[in-house]
């Protein structure tokens, strides 16, 4: 492995490919040329990249759920319910957690036990085990574009199987599907493996098949400051573009302060486009995805509807191309198909009421956008510097040094010294910056905002705020204030 | 008085780290010595850590839904490893989906867990029970 | 009856009072002096006016449901459920429709049949029939301030009974509880009867009891342009202030375009305060109430949650002092207590997430505010002119002439030539102004906005837009566009 | 062909006017002669209007929940007034609350209504049924 931000050569790619396909029996059924032919016949409205581009042009926000169960027939039933009853615009297949760790033997156990128990014992669809045939069966039984959503550091075999299966989008990236999802996979390894996934998409693009790629925006879903997730999204977009990816959806997870959230999406879209242009990737279509609140949810279903709808409203006002939908069961467990459809319906109703409405520009919004962009630039500039111009190398070094530092990331490769907390309006700020190379102005700005809250709450700025904020939404508030405040 | 030792971790292929960090912080704060093996931990890692440190209890978290598969046989493995009657707690979102809690609880009690916690259990509750079960008086 | 905008003399008031109390047997139990003593003992947190003032100072938005059933014990059970399980901040007692028409005999039938059937056959709480004693029983069994919410052109006896019963707020007004609720009650008569209700509150104020009054903002709840409802609210505020009312909550029903809705609430609060000052009422406390969407609802409960939460978010961003909550049963029938609590919980969750957040000022918001204020001024100026300075007289004449014209008002005293429709962003505009005395600039502005929509939809501006807009929200959209648009 | 006449109104102490205005507009548009007595109309007003105009059908709306009380005995009053077998429809939100629709429908059929419509019925459905029941062919 010799990681650089450079398009994998055909030689390297096809050599790796042999290993990849040999790693589990279903790998041998992937035939790239046959897959290209298959994908050429996919109608326009079932192609993920095309549907996203159209939505962007029309200025509308599409709704997409998360969903996946162990068995093919149940999975088809589920997806059709979400499409027809729920009104989903885009369909997912959430992949189970064993597959994410490449533990396909355990998937077999999960599949068998699910058949026996008559209910899914897996938390997602084990696409590798079901193989190209199974994936196509699903794809041919639904009426919308399909995407794999997972959290897999090494998703090379998965990518081969789902794309050959007709699924025209894959979520993930070398950072975003490592640090929140793994403990001991090096960044070098996961970036390299995701170059493979991106290169595969690049290969399809060169053969006339549009396939969408989506870095996972929310990361740990827990108080991630916008500039941190935006920086990661932009890195992954640049790395993907280098491998030939053309349709890129950058993502962001709702923090809860409306102006900050809108600013984050706007900054994300603009900066992604700027960086892509700057580094010579001129023919990418950049779209955005907004994730409804990704942290701990309230257990009460009515309250959950409030969180869901507020997220939908924010997505619309931000002008995101799509929104990922939560469900009223979020706090408890994987939703039933009914609960999942309910989340989509509340979302779509809200989107429909806000169709065509955008948050107007204001002094406050302008300020937030400029702060987020400045913070993001600090991180990205440093990575390029560390990599002497090579972003892949810079990223490995930078994450090791804490230039990018993801709160609550379980990976041992994460620096883990940054701490976030909400300010007095609920915007997520940097409480401790660890090694993030911010300018003094930016550090002061973050600090001042937190001091304002501390004063209001009559306590010190500190880790207790972070802890309180983690539980706040679950308890029915945005900001974790002391009792009686 | 010597601190009681608890092994803490998230079982199986589960990467949910936030609750684990909070539990670590709160248990330490409450006077326990915490051996935190973190996320993505197989049964063996819990048991080895408990043996190495001569722990008083093992606190298993499972959030992602595979708890039922991942926790099976854990009590037996403890016994085999010589951890006789070690306290075994499990909590989080331990099964797939919204199921009847009493049934779920019974399933895990039958597996040999001493205490089983539903989603969203406040840390304080676990700590209170630990103190009771380990006869800690403040 | 000699209607003028002049405080009723004690002589006139107490003479009328005799008649009023004699109109139904429970009237004789109202003893004003005893009521003052009773109300003096009401704790601060159960006084409506005080709780609203505090919320305004703290900048928070309170949530209040609608609810009422026929029998006292069931009504108490209902209110306690909404307070404890739902988390309502303020409690209502919605009055049944027979009481609203002063048909107390039919209430008796409804009460009896409800006892027999074991379910409420009345659509509200018949407070007059239950009398002071019944109202106090309710009040003493709950832990929050109570308000009567109804739709009664002549609510004099009702007002006497509820205030003596400890309820410290009364909704309504001579226009807002006539035109949407009656067919053949003259404006002269209803204004006169509401002067009585206001004077009663003034009497209490003079005796040291704070009581809140709330003109009914949404009127027919169906595409009412902001300036029309704002004008009515300001008139009723001025008329109430003249009778000695000090705590006034002006209201507005959500139209659905976020900027227009926020602008409407801001304009309403500012202009009400301006007009009160201008006419010498310097010690009134003005608060605002925002009504979640008052028109036809979607029957699907998840979609209803979307509408409810979006309304809650708008209320918070507008900075309204309270929000009136809808329920997931809205399209079908009076909600169960569980459904009602569910609506409150979704609302409060949304409010909590937005606590302290306000929509920032922008060019667009500024424009909307200025348009609404200009339109409102056109109507109010004309009324003062018509009344030669007397607003009560001017209002009677003005409504007859269509200076104020409420869409879909069933009253024969309503002019009925104005037609509203949504523009291309969903803001409600004047399609036909009838006799409303707008300047040419304002008429052109409204027209241009509608033409923009017509162009987009490739059809003419016209009544079909209005019809389509009436059904739109029920069908899951804000704007009633032709198929495929 | 002569236009069929329908009496339209909202019964009892009910002030909901929007649906009534829409029904008036749509029925007229569909070729009926509409005698609209508006909101807040007692049974007597419907019956008198039907007698005066020799109407073919009476369309009762009730939105506010008291429909059950307000509609009772209407068929009998029609008969007494000599309106034999006049078509009697009712629609809107005709009872208090979300109740089982089949039961509700039966209650109103038992009262002698020919057709009973649930909340949110599209106008087109009423018009289609009217044409069928009055043998109108386009
Ligand atoms: C944040 C989050 C994520 C983040 C996690 C980031 C990270 N690395 O930590 C991300 C986005 C990466 C993620 C991924 C996934 N997630 Co997730 N996630 C959540 C979410 C929203 C919040 C979890 C959280 O941090 N809560 C805050 C902490 C403080 O609370 P806690 O974790 O519940 O822990 C507390 C208590 O439970 C208790 N406790 C926990 N363990 C124990 C043990 C004992 C003994 C005691 C006494 C107490 C106790 O104390 C803790 C501290 O207070 C929950 C839903 C929710 N709760 O709202 C879903 C949820 C846990 N996730 C779920 C799933 C399925 C997944 C995925 C498989 C993706 C998917 N299919 O959607 C992947 C898992 C991948 C993997 N390999 O594990 C499901 C699990 C479903 C089930 N059990 O049926 C949930 C419930 C959502 C849902 N309803 O579908 N997730
Ligand atoms: C707007 C509205 C109001 C406005 C009415 C303004 C006005 N003067 O018109 C205001 C705010 C004043 C109001 C007041 C009240 N309302 Co109201 N209102 C509504 C609301 C939101 C929409 C009604 C509407 O205009 N729909 C649009 C029109 C086009 O549709 P429609 O009325 O349903 O009529 C269509 C069809 O039903 C059908 N149809 C109707 N009749 C018939 C008859 C036949 C034969 C056929 C074929 C078809 C048919 O065709 C019509 C045209 O398409 C409904 C709930 C909802 N639907 O979302 C509640 C609702 C009707 N109101 C209700 C109530 C209870 C009241 C109040 C008593 C206040 C309260 N307790 O909350 C007062 C009534 C006072 C009184 N004396 O009548 C309840 C009735 C409850 C029940 N039946 O169990 C409802 C259902 C809300 C609820 N869930 O609580 N209301």
């Amino acid at each position: 492995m010799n990681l650089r931000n450079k398009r994998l050569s055909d030689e390297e790619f096809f050599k790796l490919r042999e290993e990849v396909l040999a790693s589990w029996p279903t790998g041998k059924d992937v035939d790239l040329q046959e897959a290209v032919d298959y994908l050429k016949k996919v109608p326009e409205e079932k192609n993920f990249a095309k549907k996203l581009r159209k939505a962007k042009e029309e200025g509308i926000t599409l709704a997409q759920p998360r969903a996946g169960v162990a068995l093919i027939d149940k999975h088809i039933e589920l997806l059709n319910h979400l499409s027809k009853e729920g009104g989903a615009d885009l369909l997912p297949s959430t992949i189970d957690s064993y597959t994410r760790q490449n533990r396909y033997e355990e998937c077999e156990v999960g599949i068998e036990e699910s058949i026996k128990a008559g209910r899914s014992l897996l938390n997602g669809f084990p696409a590798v085990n079901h193989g190209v045939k199974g994936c196509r069966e699903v794809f041919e039984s639904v009426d919308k574009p399909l995407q794999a959503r997972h959290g897999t550091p090494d998703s090379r075999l998965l990518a081969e199987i789902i794309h050959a299966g007709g699924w025209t989008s894959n979520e993930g990236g070398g950072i975003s599907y490592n640090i929140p999802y793994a403990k001991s996979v090096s960044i070098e390894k996961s970036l390299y493996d995701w170059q493979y996934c991106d290169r595969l998409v690049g290969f399809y693009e060169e053969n006339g098949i549009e396939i969408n790629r989506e870095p996972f925006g929310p990361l740990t879903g827990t108080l991630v400051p916008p500039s941190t997730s935006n920086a990661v999204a932009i890195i992954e977009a640049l790395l993907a573009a280098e491998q030939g990816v053309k349709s890129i959806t950058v993502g962001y997870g709702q923090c809860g302060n409306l102006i900050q959230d809108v600013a984050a999406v706007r900054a994300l879209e603009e900066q992604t486009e700027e960086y892509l242009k700057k580094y010579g990737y001129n023919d990418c279509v950049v779209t955005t995805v907004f994730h409804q609140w990704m942290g701990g949810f309230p257990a009460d279903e009515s309250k959950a509807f409030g969180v869901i709808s507020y997220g939908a409203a924010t997505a619309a006002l931000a002008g995101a191309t799509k929104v990922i939908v939560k469900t009223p069961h979020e706090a408890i467990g994987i939703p039933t198909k009914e609960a999942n459809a309910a989340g989509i319906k509340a979302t779509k109703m809200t989107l429909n009421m806000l169709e065509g409405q955008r948050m107007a520009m204001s002094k406050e919004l302008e300020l937030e956008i400029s702060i987020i962009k400045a913070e993001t630039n600090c991180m990205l500039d440093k990575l390029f510097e560390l990599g002497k111009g090579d972003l892949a190398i810079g990223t490995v070094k930078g994450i090791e040094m804490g230039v990018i530092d993801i709160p609550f990331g379980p990976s041992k490769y994460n620096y883990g010294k940054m701490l976030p907390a909400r300010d007095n309006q609920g915007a997520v700020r940097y409480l401790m910056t660890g090694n993030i190379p911010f300018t003094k102005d930016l550090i002061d700005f973050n600090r001042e905002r937190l001091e304002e809250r501390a004063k209001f709450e009559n306590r010190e700025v500190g880790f207790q705020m972070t802890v309180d904020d983690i539980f706040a939404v679950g308890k029915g508030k945005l900001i974790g204030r002391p009792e009686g405040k | 008085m010597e601190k009681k030792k608890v092994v803490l971790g998230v079982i199986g292929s589960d990467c949910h780290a936030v609750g684990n960090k909070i539990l670590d912080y709160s248990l330490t704060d409450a006077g326990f010595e915490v051996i935190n093996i973190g996320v993505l931990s197989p049964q063996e890692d819990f048991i080895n850590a408990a043996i190495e440190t001569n722990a008083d209890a093992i606190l298993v978290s499972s959030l992602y839904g595979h708890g039922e598969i991942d926790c099976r046989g854990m009590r037996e493995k403890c016994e085999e490893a010589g951890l006789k009657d070690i306290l075994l707690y499990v909590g989080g979102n331990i099964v797939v989906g919204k199921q009847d809690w009493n049934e779920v609880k019974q399933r895990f009690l039958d597996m040999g867990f001493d205490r089983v916690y539903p989603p969203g259990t406040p840390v304080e509750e676990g700590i209170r029970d630990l103190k009771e079960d380990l006869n800690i008086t403040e």
Side-chain angles (χ1 to χ4, degrees), chain B residues 111-132:
Chain B
M111 282 189 223
F113 284 87
D114 298 295
R115 293 194 185 257
V116 188
Y117 297 91
T121 302
V123 191
E124 296 70 32
E125 208 176 308
I127 293 178
R128 210 188 46 219
D129 291 343
L130 259 182
K131 287 189 173 166
E132 196 183 306

Side-chain angles (χ1 to χ4, degrees), chain A residues 446-463:
Chain A
N446 277 277
R447 192 73 200 183
E448 277 158 27
R449 292 296 172 116
L450 290 168
E451 289 294 349
E452 193 186 316
R453 168 177 172 187
K455 205 173 146 200
F456 179 82
E457 292 177 358
N458 201 9
R459 61 169 168 172
E460 300 284 296
V461 171
F463 182 54

Side-chain angles (χ1 to χ4, degrees), chain A residues 72-93:
Chain A
I72 295 179
D73 53 343
K74 294 286 170 201
H75 188 59
I76 291 173
E77 189 187 316
L78 172 59
L79 294 184
N80 276 313
H81 186 81
L82 300 183
S83 177
K84 282 159 196 167
E85 171 60 21
D89 300 303
L90 298 164
L91 290 174
S93 290

Side-chain angles (χ1 to χ4, degrees), chain B residues 23 49 57 135:
Chain B
L23 282 168
N135 296 311

